[in-house]
Amino acid sequence: MRIDILTIFPEIFDGPFNHSIIKRAKEKGLAEIHLHNIREYTANKHRRVDDYAYGHGAGMVMTIQPIASLIDTLKSERNYDEIIFLTPDGEVLKQTMSNHLSTLNNLIFLCGHYKGIDQRLREHYITREISIGDYVLTGGELAAAVLADSIVRIIPGVISDETSALSDSFQDGLLSPPVYTRPADYNGWKVPDILLSGNEKAIGNWLIEKSIERTKSRRPDLLDEH
Ligand code: ADE
């Protein structure tokens, strides 16, 4: 999988992509993440990438030319499965979307700033618009990092114990059950007996029961989706 991220702040990604699971995925050759600075593609002599919004008083809008030049360059080098714009008015990200995107080969993530990008870019280049939740961030970068993380971690081979990605919350439409580790008794706080019983079938049933209980009390909307 290759992800090309288009941004005016490439340095924001130094943290999230150089640690832990994404770092490992890159080292194993399972994911390539390429950062592109939109400003390097502007034809404007002052290196500007934004301009005033027509018809509105407030706010700047990212202009077509630098983003179009950058996307055209990338598209001349390979085919892209999706060109995704991160925006609060996009489709809200769900695990099922990350699962699907993780099966694709080449993705572009475009990070917006200011009041957004010129609508004509959305109409002519963007194939999918994704929001990471109903709140507004300063720019699309953190949303792009979240999306990349959620996709890359489920590429087969990225997490060593693959079953652990499959048992995540949301993978089966349910929240995960509680988990415990040693010691079995911490100053009187005991791990439920069933988990120490060795009875795999009973443990399996208990875990499902706890998942359903937790989902019912915290996210009943997930049960309605079935
Ligand atoms: N850009 C600003 N806010 C965002 C959000 N919630 N999701 C995706 N991109 C954004």
Side-chain angles (χ1 to χ4, degrees), residues 135-165:
Y135 41 81
V136 179
L137 303 165
T138 323
E141 283 75 12
L142 295 177
V146 167
L147 180 60
D149 188 290
S150 77
I151 292 173
V152 169
R153 65 187 292 281
I154 50 178
I155 295 173
V158 169
I159 296 185
S160 39
D161 175 5
E162 278 181 40
T163 56
S164 89

Side-chain angles (χ1 to χ4, degrees), residues 49-184:
V49 292
D50 62 335
D51 212 328
Y52 294 97
Y54 278 122
H56 291 260
M60 305 297 281
V61 176
M62 292 177 79
T63 55
I64 298 178
Q65 179 274 316
I67 294 171
S69 301
L70 174 46
I71 297 179
D72 287 341
T73 305
L74 291 171
K75 282 173 75 169
S76 72
E77 292 162 0
R78 70 196 59 76
N79 290 323
Y80 284 91
D81 300 299
E82 297 279 10
I83 302 180
I84 298 169
F85 177 46
L86 284 307
T87 175
D89 58 10
E91 191 185 353
V92 177
L93 181 62
K94 293 270 161 53
Q95 185 64 47
T96 47
M97 287 157 72
S98 300
N99 292 350
H100 166 68
L101 293 171
S102 78
T103 65
L104 304 178
N105 294 321
N106 296 314
L107 301 174
I108 288 177
F109 293 176
L110 172 60
C111 306
H113 262 269
Y114 318 116
K115 278 279 161 212
I117 62 171
D118 191 299
Q119 178 62 26
R120 289 164 289 180
L121 284 165
R122 296 171 76 155
E123 285 162 13
H124 295 285
Y125 284 102
I126 300 301
T127 61
R128 200 151 185 180
E129 302 191 327
I130 295 180
S131 161
I132 62 159
D134 290 340
Y135 41 81
V136 179
L137 303 165
T138 323
E141 283 75 12
L142 295 177
V146 167
L147 180 60
D149 188 290
S150 77
I151 292 173
V152 169
R153 65 187 292 281
I154 50 178
I155 295 173
V158 169
I159 296 185
S160 39
D161 175 5
E162 278 181 40
T163 56
S164 89
L166 292 176
S167 63
D168 287 336
S169 279
F170 305 112
Q171 272 302 6
D172 51 8
L174 295 173
L175 300 183
S176 294
V179 291
Y180 299 86
T181 185
R182 285 183 290 186

Side-chain angles (χ1 to χ4, degrees), residues 18 24 33-34 68 79 91 134 168 190 203 207:
N18 289 318
R24 211 180 324 142
I33 297 182
H34 298 264
N79 290 323
E91 191 185 353
D134 290 340
D168 287 336
K190 296 209 170 84
I203 292 173
L207 292 172

